[in-house]
């Protein structure tokens, strides 16, 4: 199974269709008049389709078990064709397109089974995904403005060449995945004045996004929040709340991170943990959706 532990829950919707074609009008009439010997085709097939949606992971090995929040199965008769539409919703880490298509196929097969005693020409013509939404795939083709970006590593040991930076380089790699080039990569010691001066310098240089990594914990030298918080004109609590919640679901100490986020003038400042895993988790939790801010601050609609 695909590893989805890095993904975040979001509303996922999928709509699939299947078509069942009969060979004579008498079959359609019998369906509409509820005169099929095996019972009400629409209701039996709908019930089977609901089971099909919920049991998808039981019969398709690579599908993740997931909570089904909503399913609707509807029908439309066009001539001798019955169009089945299955809509499935979940709030989870992965999509429900296979669940919707499986539900449509089971609905169609149930119809076929119920109709074949009176119509030997019944056919299932196609099963296909009509629409899906939710998750980061919705943003895959999103166009974000050119964002002048800097990454600043706050670490005494890295500054003194006693250790190698891993978190800053991990952030740069994650940014590249979303087409963002890091124009400046800096290393500063864990000193309030040094971190604050670097933030002011980058703001004056026109950087729109500055990510600080390191110094957000509770050790005596962790001073990044104290350095950055007084500079922030517009605090955005939800950003680091989201990052901490995401991290807490993966390791128990994420709640101890004191990172802050907000605008210093027109510069969005983010403060991430100094560990490679903490920085990567913060990136996974926030990107690319946080980039939407750069459209909102220009007055564009959500």
């Amino acid at each position: 199974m695909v590893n989805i532990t890095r993904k975040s829950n979001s509303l996922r919707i999928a709509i699939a269709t299947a078509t069942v074609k009969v060979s004579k009008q008498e079959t359609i009439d019998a369906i509409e008049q509820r005169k099929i010997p095996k019972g009400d085709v629409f209701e039996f097939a709908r019930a089977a389709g609901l089971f099909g949606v919920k049991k998808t992971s039981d019969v398709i090995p690579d599908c993740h078990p997931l909570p089904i929040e909503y399913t609707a199965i509807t029908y439309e008769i066009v001539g001798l064709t019955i169009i089945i539409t299955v809509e499935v919703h979940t709030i989870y880490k992965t999509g429900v397109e296979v669940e919707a298509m499986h539900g449509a196929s089971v609905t169609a097969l149930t119809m076929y089974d119920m109709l074949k005693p009176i119509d030997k020409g019944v056919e299932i013509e196609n099963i296909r995904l009509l629409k899906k939404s939710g998750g980061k795939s919705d943003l895959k083709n999103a166009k974000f403005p050119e964002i002048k970006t800097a990454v600043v590593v706050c670490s005494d040991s890295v500054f003194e060449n006693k250790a190698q930076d891993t978190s800053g380089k991990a952030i740069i790699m994650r940014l590249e995945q979303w087409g963002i080039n890091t124009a400046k990569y800096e290393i500063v010691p864990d000193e309030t004045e040094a971190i604050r001066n670097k933030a002011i310098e980058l703001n004056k240089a026109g950087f729109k996004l500055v990510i600080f990594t390191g110094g957000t914990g509770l050790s005596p030298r962790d001073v990044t929040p104290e350095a950055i918080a007084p500079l922030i004109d517009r605090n955005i609590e939800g950003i680091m709340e989201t990052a901490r919640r995401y991290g807490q679901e993966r390791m128990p100490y994420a709640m101890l991170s004191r990172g802050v986020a907000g605008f210093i003038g027109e510069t969005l400042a983010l403060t991430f943990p100094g560990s490679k895993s903490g920085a990567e988790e913060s990136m996974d939790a926030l990107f690319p959706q946080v980039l939407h801010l750069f459209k909102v601050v220009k007055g564009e609609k959500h």
Side-chain angles (χ1 to χ4, degrees):
M1 296 171 72
V2 173
N3 186 351
I4 60 172
T5 54
R6 279 176 47 192
K7 295 186 176 183
S8 299
N9 285 357
S10 64
L11 174 61
R12 316 283 183 135
I13 299 174
I15 302 174
T17 62
T19 56
V20 176
K21 187 173 183 180
V22 303
S23 65
K24 51 190 176 182
Q25 183 61 39
E26 289 85 348
T27 305
I28 296 294
D29 296 339
I31 294 170
E32 292 180 322
Q33 295 166 17
R34 308 304 197 262
K35 291 182 178 179
I36 301 299
K38 287 191 175 184
D40 188 326
V41 170
F42 285 153
E43 293 309 314
F44 271 86
R46 180 179 285 112
L50 292 173
F51 279 122
V53 169
K54 291 189 284 187
K55 295 291 186 180
T56 300
S57 64
D58 290 348
V59 296
I60 300 181
D62 285 343
C63 280
H64 295 83
L66 48 74
I68 300 298
E69 311 280 355
Y70 170 80
T71 302
I73 300 176
T74 57
Y75 307 105
E76 181 185 2
I77 297 175
V78 180
L80 298 181
T81 299
I82 303 165
I83 302 171
I84 302 160
T85 302
V86 179
E87 180 171 344
V88 183
H89 298 194
T90 188
I91 298 176
Y92 198 58
K93 301 175 184 178
T94 189
V96 284
E97 53 266 34
V98 176
E99 284 74 10
M101 288 190 287
H102 188 234
S105 66
V106 171
T107 303
L109 283 167
T110 303
M111 281 191 170
Y112 178 91
D113 178 67
M114 296 183 74
L115 296 175
K116 63 183 173 64
I118 67 165
D119 190 338
K120 302 302 181 185
V122 178
E123 296 179 356
I124 297 173
E125 292 196 323
N126 62 68
I127 299 160
R128 67 187 184 96
L129 181 67
L130 197 64
K131 176 185 177 183
K132 74 166 187 172
S133 64
K136 289 185 178 179
S137 61
D138 286 357
L139 299 169
K140 193 168 290 184
N141 298 316
K143 299 297 182 183
F144 297 103
E146 289 292 328
I147 302 167
K148 191 177 181 181
T149 301
V151 173
V152 180
V153 179
C154 306
S155 169
D156 288 333
S157 59
V158 177
F159 183 75
E160 295 168 2
N161 292 317
K162 294 178 180 179
Q164 294 294 315
D165 165 51
T166 56
S167 62
K169 292 175 181 177
I171 290 169
I172 291 170
M173 289 182 63
R174 285 287 203 275
L175 289 170
E176 288 174 355
Q177 293 176 7
W178 300 105
I180 300 172
N181 178 55
T182 301
K184 189 174 282 286
Y185 168 65
E186 300 272 1
I187 300 170
V188 297
D190 285 311
E191 296 175 1
T192 302
E193 201 68 22
I195 296 169
R196 187 172 295 165
N197 287 342
K198 184 58 63 178
I200 293 170
E201 173 193 321
L202 294 170
N203 171 253
K204 289 180 178 179
F207 283 85
K208 298 301 181 184
L209 173 63
V210 179
I211 302 177
F212 296 85
T213 174
T216 62
L218 290 164
S219 75
R221 295 288 289 173
D222 287 337
V223 295
T224 302
E226 286 77 12
I228 299 300
L231 301 176
I232 291 177
D233 305 311
R234 301 178 73 185
N235 191 30
I236 311 172
E237 293 91 345
I239 290 179
M240 297 316 298
E241 287 172 4
T242 298
R244 277 187 283 271
R245 184 180 67 248
Y246 182 95
Q248 190 65 30
E249 290 175 346
R250 289 155 179 82
M251 72 92 67
Y253 302 138
M255 63 182 177
L256 302 179
S257 176
R258 300 183 302 116
V260 296
F263 278 99
I264 301 171
E266 295 185 354
T267 303
L268 176 63
L270 307 176
T271 57
F272 291 172
S275 69
K276 182 174 183 285
S277 61
E280 288 176 335
E281 286 174 0
S282 297
M283 290 295 296
D284 291 338
L286 301 176
F287 282 77
Q289 55 270 31
V290 74
L291 300 176
H292 183 61
L293 279 175
F294 294 100
K295 294 183 178 181
V296 175
V297 295
K298 292 181 179 180
E300 297 182 25
K301 293 183 178 180
H302 284 285

